[in-house]
Amino acid sequence: MLNKLAASELVLNDDGSVYHLNLLPEDIADKIILVGDPDRVAKVSKYFDKVEIKKNKREFYTHTGTLRGERITVMSTGIGTENIDIVMNELDALVNIDLKNKEFKTEHKALELFRMGTCGSVNPDVQVDNMLVTQNVVGLDGLMHFYQDYSFENEFSKNFMEKFPYAKIKPMLYFSDWAEEMGEYYKDAKYHGNTATFPGFYAPQGRELRLKAFDDKFLETLNDLGVTNFEMETSAIYALSKLLGHKAITVNNVIANRRRGEFSADHHASEKNLIDWVLDRIIK
Ligand code: R1P
Ligand code: URA
């Protein structure tokens, strides 16, 4: 591959910002909180000492400022791993590609990425309104199959791949969390677990409204395979961080216990608790 990227490959806006995120290199901090919900961005940045930058395009809202004197960014990713593909590649471009010359920089910069999200649990003993840090993640979306050079597995992943019975779900990939170092931030979380990332909220997570899911034992099977919870972004965040050389950690607030049929009694209070909990730990 040539070092200089064609205009069609690294697409920029008129002001030189990256195409979807609408950001310039100086708009982001080295510590970035990623949230799914665009409305959560302002709920986080209201705790900043000051907000210097507010930009948005589509579902990608970004606020950058300082908290307790440290520069920090909060950004929404919207829902799903296909959005994470955009977020991760464009964030990486902001720090590791010279946007003017469209050339790779010789010095690599690693970002610290903190997903702050919500999830459902498939373990009946995992209680709602508590923090769950993702130790390992399995991607049941298809994203990472489109990248080369991806191989990373541990005992959990091998076991899962051998025993997962749903052969018709082809887009499956399983890998471990590399992020021991980032886990230091969240040592006191109530739960450290194995997360499954799905390409949907309903049948892919075993939910049935008017349509039947493919297997009514799905949640139990996942739990038997060691999965504690699921959501829709972490597989791509961990995998692309690993390939691009960034550091990532996910903490999700458990808002649904799917095995008990329980949902957080006050998910607004629960979200506030999540924000306080994360900010207290990532910026001292
Ligand atoms: C589904 O309701 C959304 O909530 C979870 C899922 O991963 C998905 O994005 O995370 P967020 O609360 O961060 O959006
Ligand atoms: N987010 C999900 O993806 N699933 C849930 O059950 C709750 C939050």
Side-chain angles (χ1 to χ4, degrees):
M1 184 172 153
L2 287 174
N3 199 14
K4 197 171 176 78
L5 294 161
S8 57
E9 307 309 295
L10 174 59
V11 183
L12 301 178
N13 298 309
D14 293 346
D15 66 353
S17 59
V18 288
Y19 185 57
H20 299 92
L21 300 186
N22 196 30
L23 296 172
L24 295 163
E26 59 268 30
D27 292 337
I28 57 165
D30 295 352
K31 253 183 197 176
I32 301 177
I33 298 171
L34 300 173
V35 300
D37 182 357
D39 285 347
R40 201 174 296 147
V41 170
K43 292 177 189 168
V44 174
S45 70
K46 77 173 188 199
Y47 292 99
F48 292 2
D49 312 326
K50 64 172 188 245
V51 180
E52 297 154 11
I53 288 147
K54 286 188 181 182
K55 290 194 175 178
N56 67 283
K57 189 171 174 186
R58 298 179 184 242
E59 55 268 69
F60 308 112
Y61 282 71
T62 302
H63 290 181
T64 295
T66 50
L67 177 60
R68 297 187 263 283
E70 192 175 332
R71 198 150 188 265
I72 184 156
T73 292
V74 56
M75 172 186 296
S76 60
T77 65
I79 289 179
T81 55
E82 65 277 34
N83 279 3
I84 298 299
D85 183 55
I86 288 170
V87 168
M88 291 298 304
N89 277 288
E90 293 191 10
L91 280 179
D92 182 70
L94 286 172
V95 292
N96 289 317
I97 298 177
D98 177 336
L99 299 184
K100 289 199 177 75
N101 299 323
K102 299 206 170 181
E103 285 173 2
F104 304 141
K105 291 185 181 170
T106 42
E107 260 186 47
H108 176 266
K109 179 173 207 165
L111 296 166
E112 282 194 313
L113 305 171
F114 301 86
R115 166 160 157 78
M116 176 201 280
T118 59
C119 70
S121 84
V122 288
N123 181 329
D125 299 327
V126 169
Q127 292 158 4
V128 294
D129 299 329
N130 283 289
M131 308 312 156
L132 194 158
V133 175
T134 299
Q135 210 70 42
N136 297 289
V137 61
V138 55
L140 289 113
D141 59 305
L143 178 68
M144 293 310 298
H145 290 287
F146 293 89
Y147 285 91
Q148 270 186 26
D149 302 331
Y150 188 79
S151 77
F152 193 73
E153 57 178 26
N154 65 5
E155 280 311 303
F156 178 51
S157 66
K158 274 192 272 183
N159 193 33
F160 187 96
M161 289 296 261
E162 277 165 20
K163 297 197 177 141
F164 189 66
Y166 305 99
K168 71 179 177 178
I169 300 182
K170 290 282 189 238
M172 189 177 75
L173 176 78
Y174 199 57
F175 49 88
S176 95
D177 172 14
W178 61 279
E180 253 177 55
E181 183 189 331
M182 294 287 279
E184 283 291 305
Y185 284 107
Y186 295 151
K187 278 191 300 208
D188 64 333
K190 176 141 178 157
Y191 302 113
H192 290 81
N194 302 317
T195 300
T197 295
F198 283 101
F201 185 80
Y202 290 96
Q205 297 186 17
R207 284 190 174 87
E208 298 178 333
L209 300 185
R210 292 206 313 120
L211 297 177
K212 284 291 197 203
F214 72 113
D215 181 349
D216 56 14
K217 290 275 182 297
F218 191 41
L219 301 186
E220 288 88 329
T221 306
L222 286 174
N223 189 202
D224 291 346
L225 292 172
V227 172
T228 42
N229 66 310
F230 42 56
E231 42 84 282
M232 298 174 65
E233 290 82 20
T234 296
S235 61
I237 294 174
Y238 278 26
L240 289 173
S241 291
K242 176 141 183 86
L243 291 187
L244 292 165
H246 301 294
K247 302 175 182 180
I249 190 89
T250 287
V251 64
N252 282 307
N253 191 9
V254 182
I255 56 167
N257 183 312
R258 299 292 311 295
R259 301 290 295 289
R260 293 180 185 275
E262 292 169 1
F263 194 78
S264 170
D266 183 349
H267 66 278
H268 301 294
S270 198
E271 183 186 45
K272 183 183 177 315
N273 192 28
L274 169 72
I275 294 167
D276 291 343
W277 193 91
V278 168
L279 291 181
D280 277 354
R281 281 159 186 76
I282 69 172
I283 302 225
K284 294 290 176 198

